[in-house]
Amino acid sequence: MKKIHFLILVSTIVMSCDSQKSIIKNGQTYENFRGFEPTDATEYNAKVNIVVKDEFVEKEIKLLSPQEVLSFLNNETVLVSIGQIDFDGKISYIPVTLSAKGSSYKITMDYMKFATLGQVDKDGKFLGYKRVGVGLRLISQITTFESGINIGDISSIGIAAKAGKLNGTLMIEVIGIKSKEVTTLLPLPSEINQSTIQSAMQALATIKSKIYDPETVLYPQVMAVKEEKENTIDKNAGLTLETNPSIKTDSAIAIFTDSKEIDNKVKLQFENNPATSLSKVDAANKLVTEAFEFLFSKDVEQTIDKFNQCERVYPQYHSVFEINQLLKSNKESLKDKTSPKWASVASTLLERYSWKLSTEIKNQLKIMSGK
């Protein structure tokens, strides 16, 4: 019986390794990986709303006091991202932790204190999210000589380097944290080995403790981005705006114009100049108007899609959530444009959710409901 259990365990491990290798070889992970991807730290220029004496106050993010910044950046995470480097030097982030032989990787370990902000283009299309904050970053860029190395664990990388199974470089970044003491504490590693990794980890732990020191000045940066799924992204999108319950409006650097050549990740990373953007209220109003246009043409799927976008752009905007729930609960019936359920839904919208709707929309709802 013990022998059978042992064989099952070995088979499971082998299948797991083969599965990871298959994922890498077939490129499946590049399509399916949907996590936040680290970016080079980028200046973030925007006005934000902070709470001062139980009231919202709008203030430029770079003018916030350290305490106000810490209040705004109310999330923390430690994130390890593994990127495989191809022959052209491009990086594709993958959800596996075991190496393939003769491959190159960029492993990024982030500690972030951040706020997650949604972003849309000028037409209200949702692009994705960015993490804006301060933090510490340890980057190891390696080439492996053997397969099966656990490259998701920084200690394992050091052990493998000592055994001659890989080589590479180590880099440390302190992002948005400024003080004389932090500069003094920053080590200068070069090659990867157990000693440099241990020294780097100790230094980062000490620097992390300095975030709350009164002498430390904090400058939030864009540290990671996450694109919305392909079928909800407008590839013709241009200027952007920031949308978050505590954020006013930001948008695009002037050099970015409508172009298919501009990658959405680039937009998420760089477009945050408040000079030429829609407000989130304007974006939400536009999406609601489009949603009702689809509703009156009895296209339930497009209607729900527009209301979904509105919820992401401006959570809790008027009665959008309740209207969307009503539509989703009756979606199957509403796929039939001749269904009497359309009149029933229109009647419910008039009775319960007509607050803030325009007179024109209300009149069309009355016609649809038969009243």
Side-chain angles (χ1 to χ4, degrees):
M1 181 63 71
K2 289 183 178 179
K3 185 177 180 180
I4 292 173
H5 287 169
F6 174 75
L7 289 173
I8 292 172
L9 177 61
V10 171
S11 298
T12 302
I13 294 171
V14 171
M15 289 174 65
S16 175
C17 293
D18 287 343
S19 175
Q20 291 204 47
K21 290 178 183 177
S22 174
I23 285 173
I24 293 174
K25 288 180 180 178
N26 297 332
Q28 296 167 357
T29 57
Y30 310 145
E31 178 67 24
N32 297 330
F33 187 74
R34 297 295 182 186
F36 277 90
E37 298 182 10
T39 65
D40 291 335
T42 308
E43 290 293 320
Y44 184 76
N45 302 303
K47 289 183 178 180
V48 299
N49 286 330
I50 59 172
V51 178
V52 177
K53 296 181 179 179
D54 298 325
E55 292 185 1
F56 279 114
V57 176
E58 188 178 67
K59 197 171 182 180
E60 289 285 346
I61 195 167
K62 288 188 176 181
L63 299 180
L64 299 181
S65 68
Q67 192 57 43
E68 289 170 339
V69 172
L70 290 171
S71 176
F72 175 64
L73 306 178
N74 53 13
N75 301 313
E76 294 185 66
T77 189
V78 175
L79 174 68
V80 177
S81 304
I82 300 173
Q84 187 171 29
I85 306 171
D86 64 19
F87 292 110
D88 296 326
K90 295 180 180 179
I91 299 176
S92 299
Y93 285 92
I94 58 177
V96 297
T97 59
L98 298 181
S99 69
K101 184 177 180 179
S103 296
S104 296
Y105 301 92
K106 181 179 180 181
I107 299 97
T108 305
M109 187 180 78
D110 278 324
Y111 161 73
M112 287 185 252
K113 187 165 182 61
F114 66 97
T116 301
L117 311 177
Q119 183 167 310
V120 299
D121 66 15
K122 66 177 183 179
D123 296 319
K125 277 282 188 178
F126 189 68
L127 295 177
Y129 302 93
K130 63 176 71 176
R131 283 180 173 173
V132 176
V134 300
L136 306 167
R137 176 170 287 171
L138 183 64
I139 301 171
S140 53
Q141 192 158 318
I142 63 172
T143 299
T144 57
F145 305 134
E146 293 186 11
S147 61
I149 301 170
N150 182 8
I151 55 176
D153 179 12
I154 196 70
S155 299
S156 296
I157 291 175
I159 294 170
K162 183 178 180 180
K165 297 180 180 180
L166 61 82
N167 64 17
T169 58
L170 194 67
M171 182 170 66
I172 295 174
E173 293 182 355
V174 178
I175 300 172
I177 305 170
K178 181 181 177 181
S179 79
K180 290 183 179 179
E181 198 166 356
V182 166
T183 302
T184 303
L185 289 167
L186 191 64
L188 301 172
S190 53
E191 64 180 22
I192 293 179
N193 56 52
Q194 284 180 296
S195 177
T196 57
I197 288 175
Q198 184 178 3
S199 174
M201 296 300 290
Q202 289 175 346
L204 292 178
T206 306
I207 293 171
K208 178 175 175 286
S209 69
K210 302 297 178 184
I211 290 177
Y212 288 88
D213 283 2
E215 297 81 14
T216 301
V217 183
L218 303 175
Y219 297 100
Q221 315 271 308
V222 178
M223 295 184 66
V225 299
K226 179 179 180 180
E227 282 187 280
E228 179 70 329
K229 291 181 180 180
E230 186 72 17
N231 61 0
T232 61
I233 295 177
D234 182 2
K235 288 297 183 183
N236 295 307
L239 308 183
T240 63
L241 92 101
E242 303 299 327
T243 53
N244 184 283
S246 62
I247 302 293
K248 176 72 174 175
T249 301
D250 319 292
S251 193
I253 293 175
I255 60 171
F256 292 143
T257 57
D258 288 349
S259 172
K260 293 182 180 179
E261 300 302 318
I262 302 174
D263 189 89
N264 284 328
K265 291 179 185 176
V266 176
K267 296 175 187 176
L268 286 168
Q269 184 177 0
F270 290 101
E271 294 183 349
N272 49 32
N273 189 326
T276 55
S277 71
L278 297 171
S279 74
K280 65 181 180 181
V281 174
D282 290 337
N285 277 330
K286 184 175 184 296
L287 288 167
V288 168
T289 299
E290 292 173 354
F292 274 103
E293 287 174 357
F294 282 117
L295 185 142
F296 295 134
S297 65
K298 296 185 178 181
D299 186 335
V300 66
E301 292 186 347
Q302 289 288 352
T303 305
I304 290 172
D305 181 62
K306 287 296 179 181
F307 279 127
N308 283 339
Q309 290 181 43
C310 186
E311 284 186 61
R312 290 193 294 261
V313 167
Y314 194 161
Q316 301 175 333
Y317 181 72
H318 298 339
S319 300
V320 165
F321 174 80
E322 290 80 5
I323 293 172
N324 213 14
Q325 291 299 109
L326 175 65
L327 293 169
K328 289 176 181 178
S329 64
N330 293 282
K331 182 177 178 180
E332 292 305 313
S333 298
L334 296 175
K335 285 181 179 179
D336 179 3
K337 293 188 177 185
T338 63
S339 171
K341 182 60 71 173
W342 281 104
S344 173
V345 166
S347 179
T348 302
L349 293 179
L350 274 173
E351 293 172 5
R352 301 181 186 176
Y353 309 122
S354 59
W355 179 67
K356 291 289 186 178
L357 292 181
S358 68
T359 301
E360 181 182 355
I361 289 177
K362 289 179 183 178
N363 287 338
Q364 290 190 64
L365 285 173
K366 287 179 182 178
I367 294 171
M368 179 177 277
S369 67
K371 293 184 177 179

